[in-house]
Amino acid sequence: MTPRGRLVTLEGGEGAGKSTQARFVVAWLEQQGRTVVQTREPGGSSLAEAVRGIVLGNWADGVTPETELLLMFAARADHVAHRIEPALRAGYDVVCDRFVDATWAYQGAGRGVADEHLRALERLVLRDLRPDLTLVFDLPPEIGLARAKRRGDTNRFEAETIAFMERVRAAYLARAKSDAHRYVVLDATRPIDEVQARIAQTLGERFK
């Protein structure tokens, strides 16, 4: 029987450098002889990528917190069913740029959606699936938003207020504090090579 693969997720606020570091994680795992699937949320499957365009769009009437939450979990349900779970069952590692922690941070802490709704949808969509390791890239919101703005073509999350992103940051740090085994917090203000050295150390310790 093929051993189940491992799910590594990367989390953090806007401009934290998750996409760059996701490629580093993939390369590190592949150097260990692992087969790796790199993906992202919202998105990752054809239907979920279509939903991503809706979620990130700037709509004239706005998007209610409940609508945003349901769209995120709809995309995640398809992503898990058609991309993540099949890869894990085949023994592949999956590296995902954002996952369910992002919903707790953005729609929960950021938008104020009640925990009971988040828990109900998490149980429905994920059942017992949880990441084996979650890397949280932490930095002050003003730095992250400035980085995102320099990239250009900002989406509506990158256009959020500092206060919103402070709530998101606080939620990530609180979740990381609640489970020191699954979460590792990384200082995303440090030079890329320093951050990558810490990532490599973490992966080496967790996935010997």
Side-chain angles (χ1 to χ4, degrees):
M1 185 175 180
T2 303
R4 188 175 179 83
R6 302 167 302 202
L7 174 59
V8 179
T9 58
L10 292 83
E11 298 283 1
E14 306 306 317
K18 297 182 308 305
S19 298
T20 298
Q21 301 300 0
R23 292 190 291 271
F24 176 81
V25 173
V26 170
W28 190 94
L29 290 169
E30 289 178 338
Q31 288 172 2
Q32 314 310 308
R34 304 290 299 180
T35 300
V36 187
V37 172
Q38 183 176 354
T39 188
R40 66 177 182 177
E41 286 204 351
S45 62
S46 56
L47 188 153
E49 287 292 333
V51 176
R52 178 186 178 88
I54 297 171
V55 169
L56 299 183
N58 292 298
W59 301 96
D61 295 331
V63 180
T64 69
E66 293 79 13
T67 299
E68 190 174 277
L69 175 71
L70 292 169
L71 285 169
M72 288 294 190
F73 270 107
R76 182 166 298 129
D78 193 78
H79 185 208
V80 167
H82 293 108
R83 191 90 188 276
I84 294 178
E85 279 286 8
L88 294 175
R89 286 196 300 269
Y92 304 155
D93 289 340
V94 175
V95 175
C96 190
D97 183 346
R98 296 197 189 283
F99 196 54
V100 72
D101 290 293
T103 302
W104 281 93
Y106 279 77
Q107 286 73 54
R111 303 288 187 220
V113 176
D115 288 359
E116 62 188 278
H117 302 316
L118 290 164
R119 290 194 193 96
L121 288 168
E122 186 176 39
R123 286 195 299 268
L124 174 67
V125 171
L126 298 186
R127 297 178 297 279
D128 61 350
L129 174 64
R130 295 296 181 276
D132 296 284
L133 173 65
T134 297
L135 302 173
V136 178
F137 295 85
D138 178 58
L139 80 171
E142 57 270 20
I143 296 176
L145 291 174
R147 287 180 181 177
K149 187 175 181 180
R150 286 196 297 271
R151 289 201 308 259
D153 192 28
T154 57
N155 60 54
R156 63 187 183 84
F157 290 102
E158 293 168 339
E160 276 292 348
T161 65
I162 295 292
F164 176 90
M165 294 310 303
E166 286 284 8
R167 295 194 297 274
V168 168
R169 183 190 191 190
Y172 274 130
L173 293 177
R175 288 179 70 78
K177 188 176 181 179
S178 72
D179 186 352
H181 178 73
R182 173 156 81 88
Y183 297 90
V184 173
V185 178
L186 302 159
D187 184 352
T189 67
R190 304 302 302 164
I192 288 178
D193 59 342
E194 288 187 23
V195 178
Q196 290 179 342
R198 178 79 194 287
I199 293 171
Q201 178 185 2
T202 298
L203 294 171
E205 291 170 350
R206 298 296 180 90
F207 298 144
K208 293 178 181 178

